[in-house]
Amino acid sequence: MNKYQKVAYYPGCALEGTGHAYNSSTKAVGKALGLELDEVKDWNCCGAMEVKNVDPKVQTYLSSRVMAIAAHEMKAKVVMAPCNGCYHNLKKAEYDLANDEASRQTVDRISKKAGHETYQAGSLETIHALDWIKDGIGEEELKRRLKSSLKGLKVANYYGCMYTRPRHIFPEKDQGPGSESTSQPHFMDDLLAVAGAENVDFPLKTACCGGAHTLSDSDTSTQLVLNILQAAEVAGADVIATECPTCHSGLEMHQVRAEKVLGTKTKVRMLYFTQLLGVALGVSPRKLGVHENVSDGLALLKEKGIA
Amino acid sequence: MAIHEKSLIRPENLKTHDNLVLDGVNVSVHWSTFIQSRVVTDYNEAMEEEIAALPGGEHINRCWQCGSCTNSCTVNALNPDFNPRYWIYLIRTGMESELLRDKDIIWQCISCNKCTYACPRDVFPEGVMKATAHWLELKGHTPKSKSTLFDEEFTAQVVATGKIEEGRIIRNFFARTAQPLLQDWLVEMVKRVARRLPFKQGLMMGWGAVFRPRTRKWAKASAAINEYVHEQEARNRKALNLE
């Protein structure tokens, strides 16, 4: 059996809040493809950027607790996190626990006091929703299961920072043909191309949306988001496909803010890549939460005759 | 000859004279501009060690000033004064007063990690920026930045309940930074969503969230983290000679 057939699922806090539609569309796509998700029991926040800024080792502990439950209690071999922040932090904790004695000691100490087994590096493989679909189903099988096509839809694939940087926490990337690239990521491009989308040549795939300071330094974030939106429009995109709830809500929020504060209007819409795949797999836009997005993706899909 | 690269010199260090006679020669036209010589006497020799003692700053000593960090920096592209390479140089040479000129923008590092990706010496410049911003705050050179206030609000919630609830964070952060919650762009965003799903408005922003998400069996973890964080705070203050 494929090792990604059934994985431990770590949705994270954002997917229970602003990223609700990413959660429902990820589950819907999994269901349509026959992939199983087993949610991590009693999971906690991964620590995000914020706890890391207060103390990096507390973030390492928080992420390790999630992995400890998945690996030692649920006996899972693979944990899947659709949120770039969660995915990044689990990967970072894995790296720190494998390479840094001080991190190991701190995590062991807090884990013991918290009353659970300490996570041992190497017990679990952390993957992103992109890996899950790309390697769990593969392009040929995905193609076989398509119910419709995204034909005529021009897509800019936006991966953000946390999916590829820094390189050292992603040892499986940049490993030649078939592996993901940290400088030119392509997994989302590959999947959406199979679904019939026309991927535009988008130079800001891994540019920063300013998510870390989205509210504390809004002017900077608005400018960074505007760069991304305008570059996508210049590249001819109708849609920016996203794979992270922080990027997605950042793009949506600052698109509105740029309009209100700077008077700069952009038309490009944001949709989670799972929403786009879901549509091609015949899932109804409502089940994929398309109506929950701030930018009106539904109108665009209708206009293109896709949904 | 006149000085052509005046833009590279701080205006206050340029001395120009309308009428200047040196040794009986009138040099008022071409030779009237001088650069004031600079003598640095107030080295802070402890600065590098102190910043290296804070989380993220550990590897500052590896830097060999290639400038890959500044070259790849997201914030530098928006503001050329945001210069990690230069700040690392100032910290390592102990030039505190020079560093303090930029004290109000260092916290703006957006943690995109392009510098960490590019750095050939594994300095982890992103961590050094965080350590430097903390150092400035702990030493009292700057008030806590909005970013720090946000991080503290977020972390307090995670430690208390194991999870965050976005609406609560936004409300508390805006209250702590004395900003009105009803900013017109936030209101506009909620309106656009509400047009399509009025009953879920509360869900999207968490404004109507009555129940607070919590991790089950969290109390012991919360206590253990709190104990560790307090210990680290004391350790950091000691490393910076603050009592």
Side-chain angles (χ1 to χ4, degrees):
Chain A
M1 193 174 85
N2 183 327
K3 64 176 175 171
Y4 294 165
Q5 181 67 41
K6 183 176 177 183
V7 296
Y9 179 48
Y10 177 44
C13 307
L15 266 67
E16 292 195 336
T18 45
H20 182 261
Y22 193 22
N23 198 358
S24 39
S25 55
T26 300
K27 286 179 177 170
V29 166
K31 201 171 165 195
L33 292 174
L35 295 172
E36 264 184 83
L37 293 173
D38 189 6
E39 188 161 328
V40 176
K41 291 187 193 79
D42 300 328
W43 55 262
N44 54 272
C45 168
C46 69
M49 188 75 76
E50 287 78 2
V51 178
K52 187 226 83 182
N53 288 344
V54 171
D55 193 306
K57 291 197 175 64
V58 174
Q59 182 263 303
T60 308
Y61 165 71
L62 290 168
S63 295
S64 84
R65 181 181 178 275
V66 174
M67 294 198 283
I69 295 171
H72 305 316
E73 281 183 38
M74 297 165 69
K75 308 288 177 208
K77 292 275 170 255
V78 180
V79 62
M80 187 275 275
C83 165
N84 275 5
C86 299
Y87 165 71
H88 175 103
N89 277 347
L90 264 50
K91 285 282 194 191
K92 183 170 174 295
E94 180 74 39
Y95 178 87
D96 287 347
L97 290 172
N99 295 287
D100 179 39
E101 185 53 34
S103 294
R104 264 197 295 267
Q105 284 174 10
T106 305
V107 166
D108 191 45
R109 178 190 138 176
I110 303 181
S111 298
K112 284 205 169 96
K113 286 189 179 168
H116 61 81
E117 214 175 315
T118 306
Y119 175 72
Q120 302 298 330
S123 314
L124 195 64
E125 181 188 1
T126 298
I127 60 169
H128 191 272
L130 283 170
D131 302 309
W132 181 53
I133 298 168
K134 172 106 173 159
D135 295 335
I137 282 290
E139 279 126 297
E140 277 178 30
E141 181 62 15
L142 176 64
K143 196 169 189 175
R144 245 179 24 86
R145 292 178 185 245
L146 292 177
K147 297 274 189 315
S148 69
S149 167
L150 302 175
K151 200 166 184 306
L153 195 66
K154 291 186 174 173
V155 179
N157 292 279
Y158 178 60
Y159 297 80
C161 302
M162 312 280 272
Y163 176 69
T164 56
R165 285 192 299 268
R167 191 196 329 244
H168 66 266
I169 64 172
F170 305 109
E172 71 286 3
K173 288 180 181 163
D174 297 329
Q175 297 301 315
S179 72
E180 182 61 300
S181 157
T182 57
S183 58
Q184 296 282 324
H186 54 83
F187 276 17
M188 189 160 40
D189 292 68
D190 298 347
L191 293 174
L192 293 178
V194 170
E198 185 188 325
N199 293 317
V200 301
D201 192 4
F202 182 47
L204 298 190
K205 279 180 179 186
T206 65
C208 177
C209 71
H213 289 167
T214 195
L215 292 170
S216 49
D217 190 6
S218 304
D219 290 341
T220 300
S221 298
T222 301
Q223 192 52 56
L224 292 173
V225 166
L226 206 49
N227 290 348
I228 292 163
L229 301 176
Q230 289 177 328
E233 288 190 349
V234 168
D238 307 308
V239 169
I240 296 179
T242 57
E243 46 135 293
C244 166
T246 311
C247 300
H248 184 94
S249 52
L251 294 182
E252 292 198 320
M253 239 168 83
H254 290 281
Q255 182 174 44
V256 176
R257 192 170 184 273
E259 203 178 307
K260 282 278 163 190
V261 178
L262 305 176
T264 312
K265 250 190 169 172
T266 42
K267 273 175 54 191
V268 67
R269 320 287 165 88
M270 271 61 74
L271 284 162
Y272 289 108
F273 86 96
T274 43
Q275 292 178 319
L276 290 167
L277 276 187
V279 169
L281 288 165
V283 184
S284 82
R286 191 146 195 107
K287 277 202 177 135
L288 298 164
V290 177
H291 58 296
E292 293 175 26
N293 295 5
V294 177
S295 70
D296 196 355
L298 200 55
L300 176 78
L301 293 176
K302 280 189 178 147
E303 186 187 306
K304 295 269 174 189
I306 293 167
Chain B
M1 224 188 114
I3 297 170
H4 294 293
E5 299 292 344
K6 280 188 192 168
S7 62
L8 296 178
I9 301 156
R10 285 206 193 99
E12 68 267 26
N13 291 336
L14 278 173
K15 293 287 170 215
T16 54
H17 305 262
D18 290 336
N19 287 299
L20 186 64
V21 178
L22 286 180
D23 292 337
V25 180
N26 187 329
V27 293
S28 301
V29 184
H30 276 301
W31 292 95
S32 65
T33 304
F34 295 85
I35 307 167
Q36 201 166 45
S37 61
R38 227 156 37 102
V39 180
V40 180
T41 52
D42 57 344
Y43 286 105
N44 179 348
E45 290 179 16
M47 189 161 56
E48 180 180 8
E49 236 172 70
E50 288 178 357
I51 289 175
L54 294 177
E58 296 90 348
H59 304 301
I60 186 171
N61 65 313
R62 294 175 178 170
C63 177
W64 59 22
Q65 289 289 303
C66 72
S68 297
C69 47
T70 296
N71 225 355
S72 59
C73 178
T74 298
V75 184
N76 176 267
L78 297 179
N79 176 7
D81 288 340
F82 193 96
N83 192 339
R85 197 265 323 147
Y86 182 52
W87 295 333
I88 290 172
Y89 168 75
L90 296 177
I91 293 163
R92 298 206 60 208
T93 49
M95 296 215 259
E96 183 177 6
S97 56
E98 288 290 303
L99 183 76
L100 292 182
R101 287 171 180 274
D102 292 329
K103 66 185 166 63
D104 295 323
I105 58 171
I106 294 174
W107 69 274
Q108 286 184 302
C109 164
I110 205 86
S111 296
C112 69
N113 269 316
K114 286 194 173 177
C115 52
T116 304
Y117 187 98
C119 179
R121 294 281 293 159
D122 282 350
V123 171
F124 301 100
E126 184 266 346
V128 175
M129 291 305 105
K130 296 295 157 195
T132 307
H134 280 158
W135 182 85
L136 290 166
E137 292 176 1
L138 287 167
K139 286 283 186 181
H141 293 304
T142 58
K144 281 183 180 173
S145 69
K146 281 187 188 170
S147 165
T148 299
L149 294 172
F150 192 88
D151 293 342
E152 288 181 353
E153 177 60 39
F154 190 106
T155 303
Q157 276 196 32
V158 173
V159 176
T161 62
K163 293 187 182 180
I164 56 146
E165 195 271 297
E166 291 158 323
R168 177 179 292 264
I169 289 191
I170 293 173
R171 286 194 307 274
N172 292 0
F173 169 72
F174 277 30
R176 264 187 97 175
T177 51
Q179 298 180 76
L181 186 57
L182 296 178
Q183 314 225 1
D184 59 352
W185 58 277
L186 269 177
V187 173
E188 173 67 23
M189 202 176 92
V190 175
K191 268 197 221 152
R192 284 187 196 187
V193 180
R195 266 204 296 268
R196 269 167 280 132
L197 72 168
F199 63 97
K200 272 192 180 163
Q201 175 184 345
L203 176 82
M204 292 304 289
M205 289 304 294
W207 284 354
V210 195
F211 98 107
R212 206 174 160 183
R214 282 172 186 280
T215 301
R216 285 175 54 235
K217 303 181 210 158
W218 184 249
K220 278 198 220 160
S222 174
I225 295 170
N226 262 323
E227 185 193 62
Y228 175 78
V229 168
H230 289 140
E231 239 176 67
Q232 288 303 303
E233 278 170 2
R235 182 200 152 276
N236 291 345
R237 293 186 67 79
K238 200 171 167 217
L240 267 54
N241 296 306
L242 301 164
E243 283 314 327

